[in-house]
Amino acid sequence: RTRDTTGSQRGTVDSLATRSMLAQQSLRRAAISALWCHARALATTIAGPCSYEVVVKKSRFVASAAPVSSAEEALAWVRRESDESARHNCFAYTLSDGYSRSNNDGEPGGTAGPPIAAAIAGAGVVDVAVLVRRYRLDGGAKLGTGGLVRAYGGAAQGVLEAAARTPLVRLVPLTVEFEATDTGAVYREAGGFEAGPVSPGDGARTRATFRVPAEQAEEVARSIEGATHGRATARWAGFDGGGEDCRGGGGGGGGPTPM
């Protein structure tokens, strides 16, 4: 009898096609990851708070800028810096993860917050918040839509040009599990970094979290494991929280690994 192998051959072809598609998707993800890491490595922010002001047709625009690391921090800074005596407190912020937000605070739509956000983008900085307060002086004239866009955008541009720049230092959480007898060694190696809460680990072990610069995470982790002769384990989160990191290699093998 002749056996029909058409179905088997079709199944083999489908399986090969699926594996090829998955391999291509994996390569695309790796390429995107590498590009994102490269962009993050080149990112800059401002070194500290800065202010700038300009008067346009008897309206005084006072701009302030500050480095921020989260939306919560940006909004808290805006609340502190806002002035109730100003006619408008308009702001925008842009974070290094790509998230941004702007607010017109009563000015006509698109005339205040978006120009401030555009100034941040044009300056090429991230993890930055800019607040522009508008004060109407006696006899001040209406600026019109175009005038407002230029005034708010110009004030934001001015404060960002006045601000000193610094490379963006990305902090990642380094989680360490260790025995009580190794507490001294762990804090000797990582105590210089910002420490988070301590919680129970597996069994009788303790878990502590430190925020360390991403490019130093592996070095600090190896130092901790070396100082404790391998009894402590140290892991850190990848740039997207999903197990990938910007070191260009995988987390396989021995030693500390990204989470």
Side-chain angles (χ1 to χ4, degrees):
R1 294 188 312 180
T2 301
R3 190 174 64 177
D4 184 2
T5 60
T6 303
S8 176
Q9 291 173 346
R10 186 183 300 114
T12 301
V13 171
D14 290 345
S15 178
L16 289 172
T18 299
R19 286 201 294 269
S20 176
M21 180 183 66
L22 292 174
Q24 291 175 3
Q25 290 175 346
S26 179
L27 288 172
R28 282 197 295 270
R29 285 195 298 269
I32 292 170
S33 173
L35 288 171
W36 175 251
C37 291
H38 180 66
R40 290 294 294 272
L42 297 177
T44 59
T45 186
I46 62 175
C50 191
S51 61
Y52 171 88
E53 67 176 81
V54 62
V55 175
V56 180
K57 292 185 178 180
K58 293 191 176 182
S59 276
R60 179 171 167 246
F61 294 85
V62 180
S64 298
V68 295
S69 59
S70 66
E72 293 77 16
E73 184 179 352
L75 292 174
W77 175 81
V78 168
R79 285 192 293 269
R80 289 195 306 271
E81 294 295 318
S82 293
D83 183 356
E84 292 183 356
S85 67
R87 291 179 66 91
H88 303 279
N89 291 275
C90 306
F91 69 87
Y93 61 85
T94 298
L95 303 178
S96 55
D97 61 5
Y99 181 77
S100 64
R101 178 184 172 186
S102 64
N103 185 281
N104 291 304
D105 191 34
E107 292 282 30
T111 62
I116 297 171
I120 296 174
V125 291
V126 293
D127 282 357
V128 170
V130 175
L131 171 70
V132 180
R133 300 174 291 278
R134 181 188 180 191
Y135 300 86
R136 189 85 168 267
L137 304 178
D138 291 339
K142 291 186 177 181
L143 299 180
T145 299
L148 288 172
V149 169
R150 288 189 293 273
Y152 278 103
Q157 180 181 352
V159 73
L160 292 171
E161 288 178 348
R165 307 293 179 87
T166 186
L168 180 67
V169 177
R170 184 171 61 90
L171 300 179
V172 296
L174 179 73
T175 302
V176 184
E177 284 202 4
F178 55 94
E179 299 173 3
T181 54
D182 289 321
T183 301
V186 169
Y187 278 87
R188 200 162 46 242
E189 299 299 323
F193 300 102
E194 178 186 345
V198 176
S199 60
D202 294 335
R205 292 162 68 84
T206 298
R207 181 183 296 119
T209 301
F210 304 88
R211 287 176 58 79
V212 304
E215 65 274 12
Q216 297 182 33
E218 183 174 10
E219 177 185 351
V220 175
R222 291 192 184 280
S223 296
I224 291 172
E225 294 190 353
T228 60
H229 302 286
R231 291 185 296 272
T233 59
R235 299 174 180 271
W236 68 96
F239 78 94
D240 64 354
E244 297 178 72
D245 69 298
C246 294
R247 295 179 301 120
T257 56
M259 297 173 66

